[in-house]
Amino acid sequence: MLNKKITSLLKEIEQTQFLEILLTLPSREQGLICRQLCNFDFELLERMKKTLDKGSRSFEKVTPYTTKRKRGDGELKQIGAELLKKGKCGILVVAGGLGSRLRYQGPKGCFPISPVRQKSLYQRLAERCVAASSQVGHPLQIAFMTSASNHAETGAYFAQNAFFGLAPGQLSIMVQPTWPVLDLKGNLFLESPGKIATGPNGNGSALASLVEEGVLNRWKQLGIEYIVFIQIDNPLADPFDPEFLGFAATAGGEVVVKAIERMDPDENVGILVKKETDKLGVCEYNEMESALRTKRDGHGGLLFPLANISHFCFTVSFVERSLSFELPLHPAKKSLKQLMSDRTSLLPEKPNGWKFEHFIFDVLPFARRGEAMIYPREECFAPLKNYQGDDSVATVQKQLVEIDRRMYASISGLPIESSRGPFELSMDFHYPTQELLDDWKGKPLPEVDYICATSRRNAR
Ligand code: UTP
């Protein structure tokens, strides 16, 4: 039964249409809904409605962020390598998204992506962590943020695969909060007769999750001082990049950003900007006036030259401070049917609605100081977003093949014939020990299509 308090609260926040639907439900379902509403953040709901009421957004005043700092500084690499050896950094990977554009039924991290072995995004990252730990002689820490819709499956996936070689103490799997999603008129609605429709609240909750789930505290006790943030759907993101860590440790701020040069003015990526306060920030491509986004400088380059790839390094104290940041709500029109795990007849035939999210890059302007370093795109950015076309399996696999070709050529010191078909390297090649470098120097590329670094040593 609906109690009076809930009925009046719903009326107060103009959810009368939703209330009418509730009144048609059997009392068991009404009871279930009531229990959810008791834990509801009505203030958040009001903020969501206000955000929608504002209608067409007024664009924030921003100026270009530019820097001449590019990767390739041996000294920084050395500093970062020392920090990795001392176990000073932990890796935070956001993996709570729905992956609706990829049309994959299951956690996006389980998507098979590597070109030969079909290793999943999770497997690749876990193996990176294992290989980087061997390289630096220290068990490095990694945490995944999942969401209610993929948390259990993710945990089971790692367990079924013996954690891909990670020691139990190296891996943390957290779960992010959920928020209500609204229909196009701004109304709550039911995902199933006893459940209010909700969805994950965006990757901006990652820092708070790290603190609130107790992972940061544990990491601090292990001596961790820096948190590297990456997204699960960018398999080129190298979380154990010593130069980037060295940059974070010497830049003297609270945040550093790995950036790439913008190619196409209409590319769907966030743009690095200076906000009114002169602080480093990011504008979503659709949250910047088109004329400004595409504007050229006097030399024909883009006036806002740098793109965000959501690869950051934060100090631990900044992550702790982040609990007090008030991040803006970003509404996105989504197909509600894709949002729901439970697809029921209660959803409208042509569903469309609003999902609200916090974005991680909105924490940047809160940093006392933030700096960016420019990396070549082909080394660090291969987003897996779509089922086909741009940023799809085909484009990502092509980039993964290319990086392995370059890596093998650099380790062996031998060129690779252009006619050679695709092959895949095990992750140890990405984090080579001195022994591996000695073993493979001057060795022509083996004929096999999966090259495991330890196979040569074991065969001796
Ligand atoms: P995106 O918003 O680009 O992708 O997330 P998505 O949600 O996975 O897929 P679509 O939009 O439904 O197609 C960028 C990164 O942020 C994470 C995602 O897992 C991805 O790594 N993310 C996104 C979260 O961790 N939580 C969220 O609520 C949203």
Side-chain angles (χ1 to χ4, degrees):
M1 285 288 289
L2 289 185
N3 65 36
K4 275 192 186 149
K5 189 169 168 224
I6 289 207
T7 309
S8 69
L9 271 174
L10 285 174
K11 281 184 183 156
E12 232 172 77
I13 56 167
E14 294 168 24
Q15 288 290 333
T16 43
Q17 216 171 314
F18 179 64
L19 186 59
E20 274 164 30
I21 295 173
L22 294 192
L23 291 171
T24 66
L25 293 177
S27 63
R28 184 181 163 275
E29 275 72 19
Q30 283 190 358
L32 289 172
I33 301 290
C34 263
R35 235 177 286 160
Q36 289 157 59
L37 287 170
C38 285
N39 297 320
F40 225 66
D41 184 347
F42 284 89
E43 231 172 76
L44 171 72
L45 195 62
E46 270 201 296
R47 276 212 290 142
M48 287 176 172
K49 294 216 25 146
K50 271 193 194 138
T51 309
L52 291 183
D53 290 345
K54 259 200 258 164
S56 60
R57 269 161 274 147
S58 53
F59 294 108
E60 218 181 323
K61 238 196 195 156
V62 291
T63 52
Y65 175 87
T66 54
T67 178
K68 292 205 171 359
R69 203 172 285 112
K70 294 199 170 175
R71 83 101 178 79
D73 183 326
E75 218 171 290
L76 290 184
K77 197 170 170 183
Q78 194 60 39
I79 293 170
E82 282 304 314
L83 290 170
L84 281 166
K85 264 190 207 153
K86 291 182 184 152
K88 293 287 175 197
C89 101
I91 309 306
L92 170 58
V93 187
V94 283
L98 295 160
S100 44
R101 285 170 285 171
L102 193 58
R103 299 191 216 160
Y104 180 63
Q105 300 293 326
K108 202 174 189 180
C110 298
F111 191 90
I113 191 61
S114 81
V116 172
R117 281 286 171 101
Q118 297 287 293
K119 291 180 185 177
S120 69
L121 293 160
Y122 276 138
Q123 180 174 0
R124 282 179 55 93
L125 264 177
E127 289 183 359
R128 272 185 190 277
C129 193
V130 171
S133 298
S134 299
Q135 187 194 39
V136 300
H138 189 100
L140 298 161
Q141 292 288 319
I142 189 161
F144 292 102
M145 182 179 81
T146 62
S147 55
S149 59
N150 63 24
H151 181 69
E153 242 181 296
T154 301
Y157 176 72
F158 272 95
Q160 279 152 15
N161 289 286
F163 299 92
F164 298 107
L166 287 167
Q170 274 183 285
L171 173 69
S172 310
I173 305 180
M174 315 177 300
V175 60
Q176 71 177 101
T178 47
W179 279 348
V181 289
L182 304 180
D183 69 15
L184 276 188
K185 291 183 188 147
N187 296 313
L188 291 166
F189 68 96
L190 297 178
E191 177 180 330
S192 62
K195 185 171 182 309
I196 299 173
T198 58
N201 70 343
N203 59 23
S205 56
L207 303 187
S209 292
L210 200 67
V211 179
E212 283 162 0
E213 298 229 358
V215 178
L216 192 78
N217 228 351
R218 196 165 56 76
W219 283 6
K220 270 170 65 179
Q221 281 160 19
L222 293 172
I224 286 175
E225 292 171 11
Y226 299 96
I227 308 299
V228 174
F229 174 102
I230 59 166
Q231 306 196 141
I232 190 65
D233 55 7
N234 177 15
L236 271 194
D238 174 6
F240 307 102
D241 170 3
E243 183 172 349
F244 190 56
L245 188 57
F247 176 46
T250 54
E254 292 179 301
V255 176
V256 290
V257 176
K258 197 178 266 199
I260 57 172
E261 280 165 355
R262 290 176 66 212
M263 289 187 315
D264 168 357
D266 294 316
E267 187 184 10
N268 178 352
V269 282
I271 297 165
L272 287 198
V273 298
K274 273 198 214 159
K275 301 242 166 179
E276 264 176 309
T277 49
D278 221 29
K279 293 287 180 82
L280 172 61
V282 171
C283 254
E284 264 294 76
Y285 75 105
N286 58 357
E287 292 180 353
M288 188 188 251
E289 260 171 294
S290 151
L292 203 57
R293 197 180 68 225
T294 55
K295 196 167 179 176
R296 304 265 164 195
D297 61 17
H299 310 285
L302 288 164
L303 182 66
F304 288 80
L306 299 176
N308 168 49
I309 57 169
S310 288
H311 189 146
F312 310 115
C313 183
F314 304 110
T315 61
V316 161
S317 54
F318 180 77
V319 173
E320 288 175 322
R321 225 159 54 71
S322 73
L323 290 188
S324 65
F325 302 164
E326 269 204 24
L327 303 180
L329 290 175
H330 293 265
K333 242 184 214 175
K334 292 249 179 181
S335 157
L336 297 180
K337 207 147 213 159
Q338 287 173 356
L339 283 171
M340 301 301 115
S341 48
D342 213 10
R343 296 171 189 187
T344 74
S345 55
L346 278 174
L347 289 171
E349 253 328 288
K350 273 192 173 175
N352 265 308
W354 293 105
K355 183 175 185 288
F356 292 80
E357 295 192 355
H358 277 162
F359 288 167
I360 187 68
F361 59 66
D362 284 325
V363 304
L364 299 182
F366 289 94
R368 297 203 176 99
R369 197 158 139 216
E371 303 280 347
M373 180 179 264
I374 308 172
Y375 274 66
R377 172 183 290 258
E378 65 279 7
E379 281 181 15
C380 63
F381 191 48
L384 178 63
K385 299 287 182 192
N386 301 317
Y387 177 65
Q388 55 194 19
D390 291 343
D391 303 338
S392 64
V393 183
T395 62
V396 170
Q397 288 190 335
K398 194 161 172 270
Q399 284 173 275
L400 295 181
V401 167
E402 277 310 309
I403 199 141
D404 278 7
R405 286 178 76 92
R406 286 198 299 277
M407 198 152 281
Y408 192 86
S410 134
I411 289 176
S412 68
L414 302 172
I416 294 172
E417 284 174 21
S418 54
S419 58
R420 169 69 204 248
F423 62 89
E424 186 177 322
L425 299 178
S426 70
M427 275 298 164
D428 332 40
F429 282 95
H430 291 248
Y431 305 95
T433 56
Q434 192 53 51
E435 195 179 7
L436 183 147
L437 292 172
D438 296 342
D439 274 353
W440 291 84
K441 189 166 192 300
K443 302 288 183 315
L445 184 64
E447 284 304 317
V448 291
D449 58 6
Y450 181 73
I451 304 161
C452 179
T454 48
S455 56
R456 174 170 291 279
R457 216 174 305 143
N458 295 341
R460 281 192 310 216

